[in-house]
Short mmCIF file of all heavy atoms in Angstrom, two decimals:
data_model
loop_
_atom_site.label_atom_id
_atom_site.label_comp_id
_atom_site.label_asym_id
_atom_site.label_seq_id
_atom_site.Cartn_x
_atom_site.Cartn_y
_atom_site.Cartn_z
N LYS O 24 0.83 -1.20 0.00
CA LYS O 24 0.00 0.00 0.00
C LYS O 24 0.87 1.26 0.00
O LYS O 24 1.83 1.36 0.76
CB LYS O 24 -0.93 0.01 1.22
CG LYS O 24 -1.87 1.20 1.24
CD LYS O 24 -2.88 1.10 2.33
CE LYS O 24 -3.75 2.35 2.37
NZ LYS O 24 -4.50 2.52 1.11
N SER O 25 0.52 2.19 -0.88
CA SER O 25 1.13 3.51 -1.04
C SER O 25 2.46 3.49 -1.78
O SER O 25 2.96 4.55 -2.15
CB SER O 25 1.30 4.22 0.31
OG SER O 25 0.04 4.49 0.89
N MET O 26 3.05 2.33 -1.99
CA MET O 26 4.25 2.26 -2.83
C MET O 26 3.85 2.16 -4.30
O MET O 26 2.70 1.89 -4.62
CB MET O 26 5.09 1.04 -2.45
CG MET O 26 5.72 1.12 -1.08
SD MET O 26 6.83 -0.29 -0.77
CE MET O 26 7.32 0.06 0.92
N GLY O 27 4.83 2.39 -5.20
CA GLY O 27 4.59 2.19 -6.61
C GLY O 27 4.22 0.75 -6.89
O GLY O 27 4.53 -0.16 -6.11
N GLY O 28 3.55 0.52 -8.03
CA GLY O 28 3.03 -0.81 -8.32
C GLY O 28 3.56 -1.40 -9.60
O GLY O 28 4.65 -1.06 -10.06
N GLU O 29 2.77 -2.30 -10.19
CA GLU O 29 3.20 -3.06 -11.36
C GLU O 29 2.07 -3.21 -12.35
O GLU O 29 0.90 -3.39 -11.97
CB GLU O 29 3.71 -4.44 -10.92
CG GLU O 29 2.70 -5.23 -10.12
CD GLU O 29 3.31 -6.49 -9.52
OE1 GLU O 29 4.44 -6.87 -9.87
OE2 GLU O 29 2.62 -7.12 -8.68
N ALA O 30 2.42 -3.14 -13.64
CA ALA O 30 1.46 -3.37 -14.72
C ALA O 30 1.29 -4.86 -14.93
O ALA O 30 2.24 -5.64 -14.81
CB ALA O 30 1.93 -2.70 -16.00
N LEU O 31 0.07 -5.28 -15.24
CA LEU O 31 -0.26 -6.69 -15.43
C LEU O 31 -0.93 -6.88 -16.78
O LEU O 31 -1.55 -5.95 -17.32
CB LEU O 31 -1.21 -7.16 -14.33
CG LEU O 31 -0.77 -6.96 -12.87
CD1 LEU O 31 -1.93 -7.24 -11.94
CD2 LEU O 31 0.42 -7.84 -12.54
N THR O 32 -0.83 -8.08 -17.32
CA THR O 32 -1.58 -8.42 -18.52
C THR O 32 -2.81 -9.25 -18.20
O THR O 32 -3.78 -9.26 -18.96
CB THR O 32 -0.70 -9.19 -19.52
OG1 THR O 32 -0.19 -10.37 -18.87
CG2 THR O 32 0.47 -8.33 -19.98
N SER O 33 -2.80 -9.93 -17.04
CA SER O 33 -3.91 -10.79 -16.63
C SER O 33 -3.82 -10.98 -15.13
O SER O 33 -2.73 -11.03 -14.57
CB SER O 33 -3.81 -12.14 -17.35
OG SER O 33 -4.93 -12.94 -17.05
N ILE O 34 -4.98 -11.09 -14.45
CA ILE O 34 -4.97 -11.24 -13.00
C ILE O 34 -6.28 -11.84 -12.52
O ILE O 34 -7.35 -11.55 -13.06
CB ILE O 34 -4.71 -9.88 -12.30
CG1 ILE O 34 -4.54 -10.06 -10.79
CG2 ILE O 34 -5.82 -8.89 -12.62
CD1 ILE O 34 -3.33 -10.85 -10.38
N GLU O 35 -6.18 -12.67 -11.49
CA GLU O 35 -7.36 -13.21 -10.82
C GLU O 35 -7.91 -12.16 -9.86
O GLU O 35 -7.15 -11.46 -9.18
CB GLU O 35 -7.01 -14.48 -10.04
CG GLU O 35 -6.66 -15.67 -10.91
CD GLU O 35 -7.90 -16.41 -11.40
OE1 GLU O 35 -9.01 -16.12 -10.90
OE2 GLU O 35 -7.74 -17.28 -12.28
N LEU O 36 -9.24 -12.09 -9.79
CA LEU O 36 -9.91 -11.24 -8.81
C LEU O 36 -10.69 -12.12 -7.85
O LEU O 36 -11.32 -13.09 -8.25
CB LEU O 36 -10.87 -10.26 -9.49
CG LEU O 36 -10.28 -8.92 -9.94
CD1 LEU O 36 -9.31 -9.13 -11.10
CD2 LEU O 36 -11.38 -7.95 -10.35
N THR O 37 -10.60 -11.76 -6.56
CA THR O 37 -11.38 -12.42 -5.52
C THR O 37 -12.21 -11.36 -4.81
O THR O 37 -12.22 -10.19 -5.21
CB THR O 37 -10.46 -13.11 -4.50
OG1 THR O 37 -9.73 -12.11 -3.77
CG2 THR O 37 -9.47 -14.05 -5.19
N ALA O 38 -12.90 -11.75 -3.75
CA ALA O 38 -13.74 -10.80 -3.02
C ALA O 38 -12.93 -9.61 -2.50
O ALA O 38 -13.46 -8.51 -2.33
CB ALA O 38 -14.43 -11.50 -1.86
N ARG O 39 -11.64 -9.81 -2.25
CA ARG O 39 -10.79 -8.73 -1.75
C ARG O 39 -10.31 -7.80 -2.86
O ARG O 39 -9.88 -6.69 -2.61
CB ARG O 39 -9.59 -9.32 -1.01
CG ARG O 39 -8.74 -8.29 -0.26
CD ARG O 39 -7.59 -8.94 0.46
NE ARG O 39 -6.83 -7.97 1.22
CZ ARG O 39 -5.83 -7.24 0.72
NH1 ARG O 39 -5.48 -7.39 -0.55
NH2 ARG O 39 -5.19 -6.37 1.47
N GLY O 40 -10.36 -8.25 -4.10
CA GLY O 40 -9.88 -7.45 -5.22
C GLY O 40 -8.89 -8.22 -6.05
O GLY O 40 -8.96 -9.45 -6.14
N LEU O 41 -7.94 -7.53 -6.69
CA LEU O 41 -6.90 -8.20 -7.45
C LEU O 41 -6.05 -9.04 -6.51
O LEU O 41 -5.64 -8.55 -5.45
CB LEU O 41 -6.01 -7.18 -8.17
CG LEU O 41 -6.50 -6.61 -9.50
CD1 LEU O 41 -7.73 -5.72 -9.30
CD2 LEU O 41 -5.38 -5.81 -10.17
N VAL O 42 -5.79 -10.28 -6.88
CA VAL O 42 -4.96 -11.13 -6.04
C VAL O 42 -3.59 -10.48 -5.87
O VAL O 42 -2.94 -10.11 -6.85
CB VAL O 42 -4.82 -12.53 -6.66
CG1 VAL O 42 -3.74 -13.34 -5.93
CG2 VAL O 42 -6.14 -13.27 -6.61
N GLY O 43 -3.18 -10.29 -4.62
CA GLY O 43 -1.89 -9.68 -4.33
C GLY O 43 -1.92 -8.17 -4.22
O GLY O 43 -0.91 -7.55 -3.87
N ASP O 44 -3.05 -7.53 -4.49
CA ASP O 44 -3.14 -6.07 -4.39
C ASP O 44 -3.22 -5.66 -2.93
O ASP O 44 -4.00 -6.22 -2.16
CB ASP O 44 -4.37 -5.58 -5.14
CG ASP O 44 -4.37 -4.07 -5.32
OD1 ASP O 44 -3.32 -3.53 -5.68
OD2 ASP O 44 -5.43 -3.44 -5.11
N ARG O 45 -2.37 -4.67 -2.56
CA ARG O 45 -2.31 -4.19 -1.18
C ARG O 45 -2.11 -5.37 -0.21
O ARG O 45 -2.67 -5.41 0.88
CB ARG O 45 -3.56 -3.41 -0.80
CG ARG O 45 -3.55 -1.95 -1.22
CD ARG O 45 -3.83 -1.73 -2.68
NE ARG O 45 -4.03 -0.31 -2.98
CZ ARG O 45 -4.37 0.17 -4.15
NH1 ARG O 45 -4.54 -0.66 -5.18
NH2 ARG O 45 -4.53 1.45 -4.35
N ARG O 46 -1.32 -6.33 -0.65
CA ARG O 46 -1.05 -7.50 0.19
C ARG O 46 -0.31 -7.12 1.48
O ARG O 46 -0.52 -7.71 2.54
CB ARG O 46 -0.20 -8.50 -0.59
CG ARG O 46 0.24 -9.73 0.19
CD ARG O 46 1.05 -10.65 -0.68
NE ARG O 46 1.62 -11.76 0.08
CZ ARG O 46 2.44 -12.68 -0.43
NH1 ARG O 46 2.77 -12.62 -1.72
NH2 ARG O 46 2.93 -13.63 0.33
N TYR O 47 0.57 -6.12 1.36
CA TYR O 47 1.34 -5.64 2.51
C TYR O 47 1.05 -4.16 2.73
O TYR O 47 0.61 -3.45 1.82
CB TYR O 47 2.84 -5.82 2.28
CG TYR O 47 3.29 -7.25 2.21
CD1 TYR O 47 3.46 -7.88 0.98
CD2 TYR O 47 3.55 -7.98 3.37
CE1 TYR O 47 3.89 -9.20 0.91
CE2 TYR O 47 3.97 -9.30 3.31
CZ TYR O 47 4.13 -9.90 2.07
OH TYR O 47 4.54 -11.21 2.00
N ALA O 48 1.33 -3.73 3.95
CA ALA O 48 1.23 -2.31 4.28
C ALA O 48 2.33 -1.97 5.27
O ALA O 48 2.81 -2.83 6.00
CB ALA O 48 -0.14 -1.99 4.90
N VAL O 49 2.74 -0.71 5.25
CA VAL O 49 3.71 -0.22 6.22
C VAL O 49 2.94 0.44 7.36
O VAL O 49 2.05 1.26 7.13
CB VAL O 49 4.67 0.79 5.57
CG1 VAL O 49 5.69 1.30 6.59
CG2 VAL O 49 5.39 0.15 4.38
N ARG O 50 3.29 0.05 8.58
CA ARG O 50 2.63 0.61 9.76
C ARG O 50 3.67 1.23 10.70
O ARG O 50 4.79 0.73 10.80
CB ARG O 50 1.83 -0.47 10.50
CG ARG O 50 0.60 -0.94 9.73
CD ARG O 50 -0.24 -1.93 10.54
NE ARG O 50 -1.42 -2.37 9.81
CZ ARG O 50 -2.61 -1.78 9.90
NH1 ARG O 50 -2.76 -0.72 10.69
NH2 ARG O 50 -3.64 -2.23 9.20
N ASP O 51 3.25 2.31 11.36
CA ASP O 51 4.16 2.97 12.31
C ASP O 51 3.96 2.40 13.71
O ASP O 51 3.20 1.43 13.91
CB ASP O 51 3.95 4.49 12.27
CG ASP O 51 2.58 4.93 12.77
OD1 ASP O 51 1.83 4.11 13.35
OD2 ASP O 51 2.24 6.12 12.58
N ALA O 52 4.63 2.99 14.69
CA ALA O 52 4.57 2.47 16.05
C ALA O 52 3.18 2.54 16.65
O ALA O 52 2.82 1.75 17.54
CB ALA O 52 5.56 3.24 16.94
N GLY O 53 2.35 3.47 16.16
CA GLY O 53 0.97 3.58 16.62
C GLY O 53 0.01 2.74 15.83
O GLY O 53 -1.21 2.87 15.98
N ASP O 54 0.53 1.89 14.95
CA ASP O 54 -0.24 0.98 14.11
C ASP O 54 -1.05 1.71 13.04
O ASP O 54 -2.02 1.17 12.51
CB ASP O 54 -1.18 0.09 14.96
CG ASP O 54 -1.46 -1.23 14.28
OD1 ASP O 54 -0.56 -1.75 13.59
OD2 ASP O 54 -2.59 -1.75 14.41
N HIS O 55 -0.65 2.94 12.71
CA HIS O 55 -1.29 3.65 11.60
C HIS O 55 -0.71 3.17 10.28
O HIS O 55 0.47 2.81 10.20
CB HIS O 55 -1.06 5.16 11.72
CG HIS O 55 -1.55 5.75 12.99
ND1 HIS O 55 -0.71 6.08 14.03
CD2 HIS O 55 -2.80 6.06 13.39
CE1 HIS O 55 -1.41 6.58 15.03
NE2 HIS O 55 -2.68 6.58 14.66
N LEU O 56 -1.52 3.18 9.25
CA LEU O 56 -1.06 2.87 7.90
C LEU O 56 -0.30 4.07 7.34
O LEU O 56 -0.79 5.20 7.38
CB LEU O 56 -2.24 2.55 7.00
CG LEU O 56 -3.00 1.25 7.30
CD1 LEU O 56 -4.35 1.25 6.60
CD2 LEU O 56 -2.17 0.04 6.84
N VAL O 57 0.88 3.83 6.83
CA VAL O 57 1.68 4.90 6.25
C VAL O 57 1.15 5.20 4.85
O VAL O 57 0.95 4.31 4.03
CB VAL O 57 3.16 4.48 6.18
CG1 VAL O 57 3.97 5.51 5.40
CG2 VAL O 57 3.71 4.33 7.59
N SER O 58 0.90 6.49 4.58
CA SER O 58 0.35 6.90 3.29
C SER O 58 0.72 8.35 3.04
O SER O 58 1.66 8.86 3.64
CB SER O 58 -1.18 6.71 3.28
OG SER O 58 -1.81 7.68 4.08
N GLY O 59 -0.05 9.01 2.19
CA GLY O 59 0.21 10.41 1.88
C GLY O 59 -0.76 11.36 2.55
O GLY O 59 -0.87 12.52 2.14
N LYS O 60 -1.47 10.90 3.58
CA LYS O 60 -2.43 11.77 4.26
C LYS O 60 -2.51 11.41 5.73
O LYS O 60 -2.06 10.33 6.16
CB LYS O 60 -3.82 11.62 3.62
CG LYS O 60 -4.40 10.22 3.73
CD LYS O 60 -5.73 10.11 3.01
CE LYS O 60 -6.29 8.69 3.07
NZ LYS O 60 -7.57 8.56 2.35
N ASN O 61 -3.07 12.31 6.52
CA ASN O 61 -3.31 12.07 7.93
C ASN O 61 -4.80 11.89 8.19
O ASN O 61 -5.63 12.65 7.70
CB ASN O 61 -2.82 13.26 8.78
CG ASN O 61 -1.31 13.33 8.86
OD1 ASN O 61 -0.65 12.32 9.07
ND2 ASN O 61 -0.76 14.53 8.70
N SER O 62 -5.12 10.86 8.95
CA SER O 62 -6.50 10.62 9.37
C SER O 62 -6.44 9.68 10.58
O SER O 62 -5.36 9.38 11.10
CB SER O 62 -7.33 9.98 8.25
OG SER O 62 -6.92 8.64 8.02
N LYS O 63 -7.59 9.20 11.00
CA LYS O 63 -7.60 8.26 12.13
C LYS O 63 -6.82 7.00 11.81
O LYS O 63 -6.14 6.43 12.67
CB LYS O 63 -9.05 7.91 12.48
CG LYS O 63 -9.19 7.05 13.73
CD LYS O 63 -10.64 6.82 14.07
CE LYS O 63 -10.77 5.95 15.33
NZ LYS O 63 -12.20 5.73 15.70
N ARG O 64 -6.91 6.52 10.56
CA ARG O 64 -6.25 5.27 10.15
C ARG O 64 -4.86 5.50 9.59
O ARG O 64 -4.01 4.61 9.65
CB ARG O 64 -7.07 4.55 9.08
CG ARG O 64 -8.38 3.96 9.51
CD ARG O 64 -9.05 3.27 8.32
NE ARG O 64 -8.26 2.15 7.84
CZ ARG O 64 -8.31 1.68 6.59
NH1 ARG O 64 -9.09 2.27 5.69
NH2 ARG O 64 -7.58 0.65 6.23
N PHE O 65 -4.61 6.68 8.98
CA PHE O 65 -3.41 6.90 8.19
C PHE O 65 -2.49 7.95 8.81
O PHE O 65 -2.95 8.85 9.53
CB PHE O 65 -3.79 7.36 6.78
CG PHE O 65 -4.64 6.37 6.02
CD1 PHE O 65 -6.02 6.55 5.91
CD2 PHE O 65 -4.07 5.26 5.43
CE1 PHE O 65 -6.80 5.65 5.21
CE2 PHE O 65 -4.83 4.35 4.72
CZ PHE O 65 -6.20 4.54 4.62
N ARG O 66 -1.20 7.83 8.49
CA ARG O 66 -0.22 8.85 8.83
C ARG O 66 0.57 9.21 7.58
O ARG O 66 0.99 8.34 6.83
CB ARG O 66 0.72 8.37 9.93
CG ARG O 66 0.10 8.40 11.31
CD ARG O 66 -0.27 9.81 11.75
NE ARG O 66 -0.92 9.82 13.06
CZ ARG O 66 -2.22 9.71 13.26
NH1 ARG O 66 -3.04 9.55 12.22
NH2 ARG O 66 -2.73 9.74 14.47
N ARG O 67 0.75 10.50 7.42
CA ARG O 67 1.41 11.01 6.22
C ARG O 67 2.93 10.85 6.31
O ARG O 67 3.56 11.38 7.23
CB ARG O 67 1.04 12.47 6.00
CG ARG O 67 1.75 13.10 4.82
CD ARG O 67 1.34 14.55 4.67
NE ARG O 67 2.22 15.23 3.73
CZ ARG O 67 2.12 16.53 3.43
NH1 ARG O 67 1.17 17.27 3.99
NH2 ARG O 67 2.96 17.08 2.58
N HIS O 68 3.49 10.14 5.37
CA HIS O 68 4.93 10.03 5.18
C HIS O 68 5.17 9.94 3.67
O HIS O 68 5.15 8.85 3.10
CB HIS O 68 5.50 8.79 5.87
CG HIS O 68 5.56 8.88 7.36
ND1 HIS O 68 6.59 9.53 8.02
CD2 HIS O 68 4.73 8.41 8.33
CE1 HIS O 68 6.39 9.45 9.33
NE2 HIS O 68 5.27 8.77 9.54
N ASP O 69 5.39 11.08 3.03
CA ASP O 69 5.52 11.10 1.58
C ASP O 69 6.72 10.29 1.09
O ASP O 69 6.79 9.94 -0.09
CB ASP O 69 5.63 12.53 1.07
CG ASP O 69 4.30 13.28 1.13
OD1 ASP O 69 3.28 12.64 1.46
OD2 ASP O 69 4.29 14.49 0.84
N GLU O 70 7.64 9.96 2.00
CA GLU O 70 8.79 9.14 1.60
C GLU O 70 8.36 7.78 1.06
O GLU O 70 9.09 7.15 0.27
CB GLU O 70 9.73 8.93 2.79
CG GLU O 70 10.31 10.20 3.37
CD GLU O 70 9.47 10.78 4.49
OE1 GLU O 70 8.27 10.42 4.59
OE2 GLU O 70 10.00 11.60 5.26
N ILE O 71 7.17 7.32 1.45
CA ILE O 71 6.69 6.01 1.00
C ILE O 71 6.56 5.95 -0.52
O ILE O 71 6.71 4.88 -1.13
CB ILE O 71 5.34 5.67 1.67
CG1 ILE O 71 4.99 4.19 1.52
CG2 ILE O 71 4.22 6.54 1.14
CD1 ILE O 71 5.81 3.28 2.34
#
């Protein structure tokens, strides 16, 4: 999540979405998701 991604020619979709999409996330010490914005769930770290 929030990192650059990859182009695909074909992919399986499940109830969660594209298989392997947002499979991992970076979390800080407060268990917030690292992203480009601040909210209850997210913390802004543009370095991501």
